[in-house]
């Protein structure tokens, strides 16, 4: 079957459909968009029906709905569960968008809109790939299920329960996910590991009110001084996390793993130039891709307190705050990490200060074996379409539900991403390169047929 011609002939109608989906402001984090998230779920369900999928269901949850569909007419063949999400990030700051985030626009071979690459555009590829096979061949080479949620951008609070309650319904030989990226244009990658996550918020308090820095300065604790001192204690001068026991469960990089990283031929000088940096910074003894893919981190995401306005206000603030996120690897346990960090903070708190800690997100790291035939065939499919076999990589980000999907269903996660690292996901002017839209469709078809 000539799928290249098929997709060329349908390209305009496919892009028009995708623009319809991208026009829906399905921001899961904002309650005022709850109806829009529901509208996007309906759109996905209708698209699956039009594609020829069966048993299409919209499952309500305490938050946003989960869309399920199946096509199970290939007895004796593998079953593939396609996972993705139709919710998107907020759009702030709006003034930095060149065109409105929910008015899709094509410029220079790129489709601009919130959700274009994360993850509506990539989910859309799977729906249209399945539709193409059914229209051309009237049957699918494998059994297909879809599980598309509306809460990934708010850490999927309701999907784990849905997974456990519907384990048999969702049973599959592989979970196929497109929510990651190529290494660079023309250089495909299959992610075989994601870092875990834990986060906390810290509040340091001192007096029961803000104080005049002339009257009280030098005689009482300053919450900002106490917080800065506390945060500085979290790392040593070599860039390592100084929390006792933080590296327990972290596996050292083997020679084979380091060789796999080196195959990426990552250009650190280009990165510095692109980011306007004089030097990169991080844990000594590791390259940038090793630090961001295979090593744990502790990062400050926000530090604030005291007077923030224009001009000067000579005040000693009674309270200061910090938001902290850790990326975890190997066998690090998120709860154990949070407890160790809390213990460190309490042990290093300045006299006269009080500490309040709120533990938040928790997700374990995920990894799978690249020798699994389901992943090897995915690498082969990329090679047939892109002319370059995909490299197996470790991704520094976290998609917490991937570990749950793979664990509950006892199936490998095949992460075939078609985005690019510079497509501004979560930022203004998010976009999807249409070269990868075209090649993504062909790659997914090639992969499903190869199984």
């Amino acid at each position: 079957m000539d799928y290249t011609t098929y997709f060329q002939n349908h390209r305009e109608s496919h892009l028009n459909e995708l623009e319809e989906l991208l026009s829906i402001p399905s921001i899961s984090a904002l309650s005022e968009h709850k109806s829009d998230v529901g509208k996007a779920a309906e759109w996905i369900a209708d698209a699956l029906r039009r594609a020829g999928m069966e048993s299409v269901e919209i499952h309500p949850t305490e938050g946003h709905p989960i869309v399920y569909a199946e096509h199970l007419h290939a007895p004796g063949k593998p079953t593939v569960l396609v996972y993705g999400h139709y919710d998107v990030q907020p759009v702030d700051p709006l003034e930095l968008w060149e065109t409105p985030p929910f008015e899709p626009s094509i410029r220079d071979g790129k489709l601009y809109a919130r959700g274009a690459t994360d993850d509506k555009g990539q989910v859309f590829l799977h729906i249209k790939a399945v539709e193409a096979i059914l229209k051309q061949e009237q049957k699918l080479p494998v059994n297909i299920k879809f599980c598309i949620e509306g809460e990934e951008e708010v850490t999927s609070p309701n999907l784990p329960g849905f997974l456990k309650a519907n384990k048999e319904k969702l049973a599959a030989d592989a979970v196929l996910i497109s929510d990651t990226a190529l290494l660079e244009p023309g250089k495909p990658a299959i992610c075989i590991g994601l870092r875990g996550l834990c986060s906390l918020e810290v509040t340091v308090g001192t007096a029961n009110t803000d104080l005049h820095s002339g009257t009280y300065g030098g005689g009482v604790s300053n919450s900002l001084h106490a917080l800065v001192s506390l945060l500085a204690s979290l790392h040593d001068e070599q860039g390592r996390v100084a929390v006792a026991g933080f590296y327990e469960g972290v596996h050292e990089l083997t020679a084979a793993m380091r060789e796999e990283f080196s195959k990426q031929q990552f250009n650190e000088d280009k990165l510095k130039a692109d980011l306007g940096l004089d030097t990169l910074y991080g844990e000594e003894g590791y390259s940038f891709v090793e630090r961001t893919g295979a090593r744990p981190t502790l990062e400050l995401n926000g530090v604030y307190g005291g007077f923030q306005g224009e001009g000067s206000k000579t005040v000693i603030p009674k309270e200061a705050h910090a938001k902290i996120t850790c990326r975890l690897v190997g066998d690090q346990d998120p709860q154990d990490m949070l407890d160790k960090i809390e213990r460190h903070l309490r042990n290093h708190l300045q006299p006269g200060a009080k500490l309040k800690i709120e533990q938040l997100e928790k997700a374990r790291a995920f990894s799978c074996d690249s020798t699994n035939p389901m992943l090897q065939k995915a690498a082969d499919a990329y090679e047939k379409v892109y002319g370059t076999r995909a490299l197996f990589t470790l991704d520094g980000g976290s998609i917490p539900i991937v570990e749950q999907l793979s664990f509950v269903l006892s199936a490998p996660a095949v992460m075939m991403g078609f985005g690019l690292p510079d497509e501004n996901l979560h930022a203004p002017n998010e976009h999807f390169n249409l070269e990868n839209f075209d090649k993504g469709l062909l790659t997914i078809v090639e992969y499903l047929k190869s199984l």
Side-chain angles (χ1 to χ4, degrees):
M1 294 292 178
D2 184 1
Y3 283 94
T4 300
T5 300
Y6 174 89
F7 286 125
Q8 285 176 347
N9 291 340
H10 290 81
R11 191 175 194 259
E12 184 176 354
S13 63
H14 285 169
L15 287 174
N16 287 339
E17 284 185 59
L18 177 54
E19 288 178 9
E20 278 183 23
L21 176 60
L22 293 171
S23 298
I24 303 171
S26 51
I27 305 171
S28 55
L30 302 178
S31 58
E32 61 262 36
H33 286 285
K34 185 173 178 65
S35 63
D36 294 314
V37 181
K39 184 179 177 183
E42 293 280 359
W43 196 99
I44 292 289
D46 288 342
L48 288 165
R49 292 188 191 99
R50 292 194 303 271
M53 294 298 292
E54 301 168 348
S55 303
V56 180
E57 303 162 353
I58 298 178
H59 291 268
T61 72
E62 292 182 5
H64 301 300
I66 297 165
V67 182
Y68 174 83
E70 64 186 28
H71 194 283
L72 309 177
H73 300 291
K77 305 294 184 182
T79 297
V80 175
L81 175 69
V82 177
Y83 164 80
H85 64 93
Y86 60 84
D87 64 319
V88 299
Q89 282 277 322
V91 299
D92 309 83
L94 188 59
E95 66 273 11
L96 296 183
W97 286 81
E98 292 182 25
T99 51
F102 297 109
E103 295 179 20
S105 171
I106 295 176
R107 305 191 298 276
D108 302 321
K110 302 171 184 177
L111 175 58
Y112 285 82
R114 173 59 89 225
T117 189
D118 182 24
D119 183 38
K120 289 178 178 177
Q122 299 202 58
V123 166
F124 185 80
L125 296 179
H126 290 277
I127 297 174
K128 290 303 164 185
V130 167
E131 180 180 274
I133 298 173
L134 283 171
K135 285 191 173 181
Q136 295 250 94
E137 304 185 37
Q138 288 73 54
K139 64 179 182 179
L140 294 177
V142 293
N143 301 294
I144 296 281
K145 300 175 181 179
F146 279 82
C147 177
I148 312 299
E149 67 157 322
E151 297 185 319
E152 193 275 343
E153 300 292 6
V154 289
T155 69
S156 305
N158 291 294
L159 190 55
F162 179 81
L163 278 177
K164 290 172 184 173
N166 295 276
K167 186 176 177 180
E168 291 185 16
K169 178 195 282 281
L170 299 171
D173 297 292
V175 181
L176 180 57
I177 303 168
S178 293
D179 197 9
T180 51
L182 282 71
L183 288 171
E184 58 186 60
K187 198 170 182 180
I190 297 171
C191 176
I192 58 169
L194 292 162
R195 293 195 287 189
L197 178 73
C198 67
S199 66
L200 64 157
E201 291 189 10
V202 177
T203 300
V204 171
T206 49
N208 57 11
T209 184
D210 288 355
L211 298 169
H212 188 286
S213 67
T215 306
Y216 294 94
V220 298
S221 295
N222 181 315
S223 64
L224 282 170
H225 292 184
L227 178 65
V228 169
S229 171
L230 191 59
L231 299 180
S233 74
L234 291 169
H235 293 85
D236 65 20
E237 293 182 359
Q238 287 72 46
R240 284 177 60 87
V241 178
V243 173
F246 183 81
Y247 291 93
E248 291 174 8
V250 177
H251 307 306
E252 287 301 321
L253 288 177
T254 64
M257 291 171 68
R258 294 201 123 149
E259 182 181 356
E260 198 66 25
F261 276 117
S262 70
K263 289 179 183 177
Q264 296 183 30
Q265 298 178 326
F266 187 83
N267 189 331
E268 293 192 359
D269 290 332
K270 182 179 183 301
L271 177 67
K272 285 187 287 187
D274 289 345
L275 299 180
L277 296 172
D278 296 325
T279 184
L280 299 179
Y281 176 80
E283 189 181 2
E284 282 188 359
Y286 298 93
S287 67
F288 175 82
V289 290
E290 290 170 346
R291 289 171 183 161
T292 58
R295 298 298 294 172
T297 65
L298 187 155
E299 296 288 348
L300 308 180
N301 308 124
V303 179
Y304 54 100
F307 179 63
Q308 307 288 314
E310 184 178 355
S312 174
K313 182 182 180 184
T314 53
V315 65
I316 297 175
K318 69 169 187 173
E319 221 170 61
H321 310 269
K323 296 177 183 288
I324 299 173
T325 302
C326 297
R327 300 290 177 169
L328 309 176
V329 300
D331 296 321
Q332 284 181 301
D333 178 78
Q335 185 59 60
D336 181 49
M337 289 302 107
L338 287 171
D339 292 341
K340 286 173 176 172
I341 295 166
E342 180 165 343
R343 192 176 308 121
H344 175 98
L345 293 171
R346 296 196 183 282
N347 288 342
H348 288 77
L349 185 63
Q350 208 176 77
K354 300 178 284 289
L355 189 63
K356 178 183 175 184
I357 296 174
E358 183 180 5
Q359 298 185 4
L360 300 169
E361 301 159 295
K362 293 184 286 247
R364 298 190 73 96
F366 164 78
S367 63
C368 59
D369 182 3
S370 63
T371 64
N372 186 292
M374 290 289 190
L375 281 86
Q376 289 295 318
K377 286 181 181 291
D380 294 338
Y382 274 114
E383 185 171 22
K384 288 193 176 180
V385 176
Y386 282 82
T388 302
R389 197 168 193 270
L391 291 175
F392 293 103
T393 63
L394 299 177
D395 196 307
S398 304
I399 311 176
I401 199 60
V402 171
E403 190 269 340
Q404 287 276 318
L405 282 162
S406 185
F407 176 75
V408 172
L409 301 180
S410 300
V414 183
M415 287 184 273
M416 299 179 71
F418 298 99
L420 284 171
D422 63 355
E423 289 180 334
N424 287 19
L425 63 164
H426 293 207
N429 302 310
E430 179 181 350
H431 57 276
F432 191 18
N433 281 261
L434 294 183
E435 177 188 3
N436 292 318
F437 176 87
D438 298 329
K439 289 183 175 179
L441 288 164
L442 293 170
T443 305
I444 293 168
V445 169
E446 181 64 42
Y447 177 59
L448 295 178
K449 289 174 70 67
S450 77
L451 296 180

